[in-house]
Amino acid sequence: MTDKVSLGKLSTGVPGLDMLLGGGLSEFSFNLIAGAPGCGKTTLAHQIMFSLANADRRALFFTVLGEPPLKMLRYQQQYSFFQFDKVGTAIRYVNLADDLRAGDFSGVLERIMKEVEDFAPSLVFVDSFRSVAQTARAGNEGVADLQHFIQELGTRMTSWQATTFLIGEYLHSDVEANPIMTVADGMIALAQLHEEDSVVRKIRVVKMRGQAHMAGSHTFRITDDGVRVYPRVLPPLADDRQPGAGVDREPRRISTGVPGLDEMLHGGLPQGHSVLVTGPSGCGKTILGTRFLQEGARQGEKGVVMSFEKGTARLRNAQLAQLVQAGDVAVVESRMIDLTIDELLDELNQAIDRTGATRVVVDSLSELGLYLAPESRDRLRTVVFRMLASLAKRGVSAVVTMGLDDQFTRFQISQAEIAYLTDAIVIMRYGEADGQLRKFLSVVKVRGSGHSQELREYAIDDEGFDIHPQRTEFEGVLHGLPQARSSGY
């Protein structure tokens, strides 16, 4: 016999979860949704059920000793996935509390099978299944009887061609020692991680027979729409970054909106490149980023600005609010103090897809760390790497700003080794001359391209961002600071 059995896949309707599962749930599988109280098990189960249930694929939801169906429905109907017209027709709720208290496992099993025969469901949910296991430990039934009950339930549900979900408040150690693991085809574990004052929800596919699922823990969040999973993956390589691709192709140059900087970049920023703009407070990093977006709007290109502290209301003088109001620029602006890199990238990519943006400004990486959850905050370099890789795959050009403390006697490019990740670097800094504090700019690197090695003075006024021609009188103004130099990379 050479023909392989093909497993049908069911899409869960939970954004991001199908990717973790390896394409969806196996049809007719026996699954466990486990986790501590309050981590979202019942919500996840309901979201899957309402997504899959219809007139041809009906669902039975059994409640045991947990909350009664009416109380459960009161809260679950607050989510956007809830559909009233499916309750009673495509979805039926049954309470097994009395059956479990009055009899043994065989009585509970017979009640389940009676309801299954009567309603003929394709989906069966039991919440909370831990209540059944606790009954065995309490002495009403033995562990051997529980093992038999689980195996019999799994066998009968498979014979009925039903996809089954057992929901329970299990910890990881509990599940490994539980007889349910010998029967379950799949297991999804939910958890809440507490770090400092932040709580981050995690989901993990512990087991999924017959398909290559994604390992590791991944972030998820419960919103008004239900559960949303953020798979922890890197985007594929952009075509122009793959070995041997585009070797002889010179990327198109785009204007930064500052003619003097375009000149120093030998014609502008290569399309799809990212440039890190660093400098102390007040040197004009945000203004430079705004000029970049304004130039894009002038040429009919959409843009996205990711802001973490200033907000568009405080940037009216920089004309960013005008771009937003005109629909030329979309804003990704989060105020969550437990933001994770997965959620951040999802918001950014959605904004790019929604608007068709080809220019992005991230302002700034220094403030980004204030909003990240501790697990992401400690890996800022990884955060930036994944962000820039995602933008490169989409061919989006990006200006990323980072604040630095100007110590006047130290030449510093960036923090946390961020400089190695970007395609180009522009440094802005101060110098003293003739009783004035003056501003200077230099291009440190442009990957795969030549660039000016000059140190230029610039000024910011109502007329714009003006970079002066190179003049030798500025030598020595920076009190011994080494001159900007090309990295050759």
Side-chain angles (χ1 to χ4, degrees):
M1 182 176 179
T2 59
D3 293 337
K4 291 184 178 181
V5 175
S6 178
L7 297 177
K9 295 288 183 67
L10 300 176
S11 177
T12 62
V14 179
L17 181 56
D18 289 349
M19 180 180 292
L20 299 190
L21 296 172
L25 283 166
S26 292
E27 197 171 17
F28 315 138
S29 59
F30 197 72
N31 304 285
L32 173 65
I33 300 177
C39 64
K41 302 180 301 299
T42 300
T43 300
L44 177 63
H46 272 80
Q47 190 169 348
I48 294 173
M49 180 172 66
F50 275 93
S51 173
L52 291 174
N54 54 44
D56 298 322
R57 187 193 291 129
R58 293 184 287 185
L60 263 177
F61 198 104
F62 293 100
T63 60
V64 189
L65 293 179
E67 54 188 349
L70 288 178
K71 182 180 178 182
M72 183 186 303
L73 288 173
R74 178 184 179 186
Y75 291 103
Q76 290 300 317
Q77 67 185 249
Q78 307 304 315
Y79 296 108
S80 64
F81 61 73
F82 193 93
Q83 301 173 60
F84 282 98
D85 59 333
K86 289 187 177 183
V87 178
T89 55
I91 296 174
R92 177 183 293 180
Y93 289 87
V94 178
N95 194 332
L96 296 176
D98 292 338
D99 300 88
L100 188 60
R101 282 194 295 262
D104 56 17
F105 287 151
S106 60
V108 175
L109 183 61
E110 290 308 315
R111 174 67 190 283
I112 291 176
M113 296 315 301
K114 180 180 181 301
E115 296 291 343
V116 169
E117 290 176 3
D118 179 58
F119 196 59
S122 299
L123 305 165
V124 174
F125 297 80
V126 182
D127 185 12
S128 153
F129 191 77
R130 186 182 178 106
S131 302
V132 179
Q134 288 175 331
T135 301
R137 285 200 292 267
N140 297 339
E141 295 284 339
V143 174
D145 294 319
L146 174 63
Q147 176 81 26
H148 174 75
F149 171 78
I150 295 172
Q151 290 178 336
E152 188 68 17
L153 179 63
T155 301
R156 295 197 187 189
M157 289 299 102
T158 302
S159 66
W160 273 98
Q161 294 190 330
T163 306
T164 308
F165 301 83
L166 306 186
I167 305 157
E169 292 79 19
Y170 295 102
L171 300 176
H172 182 65
S173 57
D174 295 333
V175 174
E176 288 182 339
N178 198 291
I180 194 174
M181 283 304 292
T182 63
V183 179
D185 301 309
M187 175 184 167
I188 301 173
L190 309 182
Q192 298 186 92
L193 304 182
H194 296 254
E195 296 187 33
E196 298 179 3
D197 294 328
S198 299
V199 175
V200 178
R201 299 178 187 267
K202 293 290 184 178
I203 185 170
R204 184 164 65 97
V205 179
V206 180
K207 177 183 182 182
M208 196 57 59
R209 284 175 175 158
Q211 56 199 72
H213 60 273
M214 289 183 61
S217 295
H218 305 264
T219 302
F220 77 96
R221 189 176 289 275
I222 300 177
T223 69
D224 292 339
D225 296 322
V227 174
R228 184 178 187 87
V229 179
Y230 303 92
R232 185 168 45 85
V233 295
L234 286 173
L237 288 173
D239 293 339
D240 62 346
R241 306 298 174 88
Q242 295 176 350
V247 175
D248 300 324
R249 184 177 61 194
E250 179 69 19
R252 182 176 71 90
R253 301 277 178 161
I254 63 172
S255 174
T256 63
V258 179
L261 181 56
D262 291 343
E263 179 186 342
M264 297 178 72
L265 292 170
H266 290 184
L269 184 69
Q271 172 69 42
H273 274 41
S274 60
V275 55
L276 176 66
V277 180
T278 67
S281 177
C283 68
K285 301 183 296 297
T286 299
I287 295 176
L288 181 59
T290 303
R291 293 290 182 269
F292 180 70
L293 294 173
Q294 285 180 308
E295 177 62 21
R298 191 183 69 81
Q299 298 186 22
E301 300 179 40
K302 298 295 184 181
V304 173
V305 59
M306 179 178 287
S307 176
F308 299 97
E309 188 161 325
K310 297 178 180 65
T312 55
R314 293 181 54 191
L315 294 176
R316 294 187 188 278
N317 292 336
Q319 299 180 331
L320 179 57
Q322 296 178 12
L323 294 174
V324 175
Q325 292 169 2
D328 294 319
V329 172
V331 180
V332 175
E333 186 177 26
S334 179
R335 285 295 179 268
M336 293 185 294
I337 60 174
D338 57 353
L339 189 67
T340 65
I341 177 56
D342 308 287
E343 296 170 274
L344 182 69
L345 287 178
D346 185 69
E347 288 188 39
L348 179 59
N349 289 331
Q350 283 191 56
I352 294 173
D353 291 339
R354 184 174 63 252
T355 62
T358 57
R359 297 187 181 215
V360 166
V361 170
V362 180
D363 186 34
S364 77
L365 295 181
S366 307
E367 295 161 354
L368 168 60
L370 300 175
Y371 295 90
L372 290 175
E375 64 158 9
S376 294
R377 189 187 314 149
D378 296 337
R379 298 181 291 112
L380 182 60
R381 189 173 189 272
T382 302
V383 169
V384 177
F385 171 68
R386 292 182 61 189
M387 181 189 301
L388 296 181
S390 178
L391 294 175
K393 169 59 181 175
R394 295 167 177 268
V396 174
S397 307
V399 171
V400 181
T401 70
M402 172 173 275
L404 294 175
D405 294 331
D406 196 336
Q407 301 182 18
F408 286 94
T409 57
R410 180 183 177 189
F411 184 73
Q412 184 179 5
I413 294 179
S414 71
Q415 300 173 356
E417 298 181 335
I418 302 301
Y420 300 101
L421 305 178
T422 58
D423 300 304
I425 299 174
V426 172
I427 292 182
M428 306 167 75
R429 45 192 165 136
Y430 293 118
E432 297 179 26
D434 301 327
Q436 293 183 333
L437 190 64
R438 296 156 77 169
K439 299 181 179 72
F440 297 86
L441 177 147
S442 55
V443 177
V444 176
K445 82 168 185 181
V446 179
R447 183 170 287 151
S449 172
H451 59 86
S452 170
Q453 299 187 42
E454 301 169 350
L455 183 66
R456 298 278 193 95
E457 184 179 11
Y458 67 94
I460 301 173
D461 52 32
D462 294 339
E463 300 300 323
F465 197 109
D466 182 33
I467 298 180
H468 302 168
Q470 184 186 31
R471 291 187 293 180
T472 57
E473 66 183 68
F474 298 136
E475 293 180 2
V477 166
L478 298 181
H479 295 295
L481 276 177
Q483 296 295 308
R485 58 187 181 278
S486 171
S487 65
Y489 179 59

